[in-house]
Amino acid sequence: MPEFLTRDKPFRQLLETARRAAHTQAGIFITGESGTGKNRLAGFIHRNSPRHDGPWIQVPCANLPEELLESELFGHEPGAFTGAGESRAGKFERAHGGSLDLDEVQELTLEVQAKVLRAIQEKQFEKLGGSETLSVDVRIIASSQEDPERMVEEGRLRSDLFYRMNVVRLHVPPLRERAADIPALAEECLARTTELHNLACVKTLAPETLERLMEHPWPGNVRELFHAVESAAILSSGETIHPSDLPRSLSVSG
C-alpha cells in the first residue's frame, strides 16, 4: 500500500517537494490543520532520507507537562529533581543519527527552545542536572497547526529557532480541498479496519454513503474520516455500509 493515496495535483507536488527535501539535512517546518497528516508526512520525510536506518523519535510537545519538557528532551541525571533516581536519556540522545519530530513545537517554553536551538546549531547539550556536554547529530522536523510567523510575533516561538527549522516549509492542505482523495482514503480505512478488527466480511460503501462522505466538510480532516469509516464498518450489520451506519453527524442530512 502506498504511503499516501492522492489524485490531487497540488498534494502530489507537495510530496515531491518533501521527497527532495528529505535527501538534504535542511530543517523542515510542516504546517496544517489538526488531522491532516503532518506527523505522517514527517515520517515520510524520515523514511526517504539518508537517515532512514536511524531512529525516528516523535515528541508531542503539547502533551508534555511544562516541568518535564527539558527532562523529556535532554534527559536527566540522578537527583536532578524529586524522583530522579537514575540517569535517563532524553529524546535528543535517543534520536542520535536519526530524526526528531517536534510536534506543536511552540508549546516548548522559551528556555527549552533556547536549548533546542543550541542542540541544532552546535550539536551539543547537557542533561538536566548534569555537567557533561554531550554531542548529538539529529535532523529536526517541526510541525504546528498554527501560523508560525504569528507565533514569532506573539513571542511564543523564538525567531532564531524558527528560522533554523524553517529552511523548507511544507503546508498540508485540509481534506476539504482535496475531496477527490476521499474514495481512496475511505477504501484504505476499510481495509485497515477489516484487518485490525478481524471483521467477518469485507465491507463496501454504498454509492449514497460515498456521496455523503464527499459532501461532508471534514473539520477533523483525514483523522475524522478514518474514525467515521471505522465506526461505520464495525457497526454495519451487512456487507454494505449505508448512510445510516455513519456517525450521526454524517448520517443525518442537513
Side-chain angles (χ1 to χ4, degrees):
M1 182 178 293
E3 293 181 279
F4 288 92
L5 298 172
T6 183
R7 299 172 58 187
D8 183 71
K9 184 177 179 181
F11 195 77
R12 290 200 302 268
Q13 292 173 340
L14 170 69
L15 294 177
E16 181 55 35
T17 300
R19 195 185 303 274
R20 290 199 305 272
H23 292 291
T24 73
Q25 298 299 321
I28 296 178
F29 204 108
I30 303 174
T31 57
E33 296 177 9
S34 177
T36 51
K38 297 186 296 296
N39 289 336
R40 192 175 186 183
L41 181 60
F44 170 84
I45 292 168
H46 172 72
R47 289 188 295 275
N48 284 275
S49 76
R51 297 173 177 264
H52 64 273
D53 288 331
W56 163 240
I57 305 295
Q58 293 179 284
V59 184
C61 300
N63 296 339
L64 298 178
E66 183 174 324
E67 63 272 15
L68 295 180
L69 286 175
E70 186 173 355
S71 173
E72 283 293 318
L73 286 172
F74 301 104
H76 62 256
E77 295 293 357
F81 53 86
T82 302
E86 58 185 9
S87 180
R88 181 175 180 272
K91 305 294 188 183
F92 266 88
E93 188 174 354
R94 290 170 52 200
H96 179 71
S99 305
L100 189 64
D101 176 17
L102 298 177
D103 183 33
E104 300 301 332
V105 63
Q106 77 280 357
E107 297 297 333
L108 300 177
T109 65
L110 294 179
E111 180 181 359
V112 172
Q113 288 182 32
K115 195 165 182 177
V116 169
L117 177 64
R118 180 187 172 217
I120 296 173
Q121 290 187 155
E122 301 178 17
K123 302 184 183 300
Q124 293 181 333
F125 69 93
E126 290 82 34
K127 290 184 178 181
L128 184 63
S131 58
E132 179 185 2
T133 298
L134 303 177
S135 298
V136 67
D137 175 23
V138 171
R139 201 261 183 87
I140 297 293
I141 304 172
S143 62
S144 177
Q145 58 182 300
E146 298 188 55
D147 178 357
E149 281 83 6
R150 181 180 302 169
M151 293 188 293
V152 170
E153 291 177 1
E154 295 172 350
R156 293 190 291 138
L157 181 62
R158 289 179 59 110
S159 59
D160 46 6
L161 175 61
F162 170 59
Y163 296 138
R164 189 76 182 186
M165 297 185 298
N166 193 50
V167 178
V168 176
R169 173 79 68 86
L170 301 172
H171 180 72
V172 185
L175 184 57
R176 62 183 175 274
E177 292 182 6
R178 53 186 188 102
D181 288 343
I182 290 176
L185 289 170
E187 289 298 329
E188 179 186 12
C189 181
L190 283 176
R192 288 187 183 184
T193 300
T194 300
E195 180 179 0
L196 177 64
H197 300 288
N198 195 27
L199 299 184
C201 62
V202 177
K203 308 285 181 114
T204 60
L205 297 169
E208 58 271 24
T209 306
L210 182 56
E211 182 178 355
R212 189 67 56 82
L213 296 179
M214 296 285 288
E215 293 173 346
H216 189 66
W218 300 111
N221 293 292
V222 177
R223 183 183 296 126
E224 181 188 3
L225 171 65
F226 270 49
H227 288 172
V229 174
E230 180 181 26
S231 174
I234 292 172
L235 298 178
S236 60
S237 57
E239 296 182 3
T240 303
I241 299 174
H242 299 284
S244 58
D245 297 316
L246 295 169
R248 183 172 176 79
S249 60
L250 285 88
S251 62
V252 178
S253 58

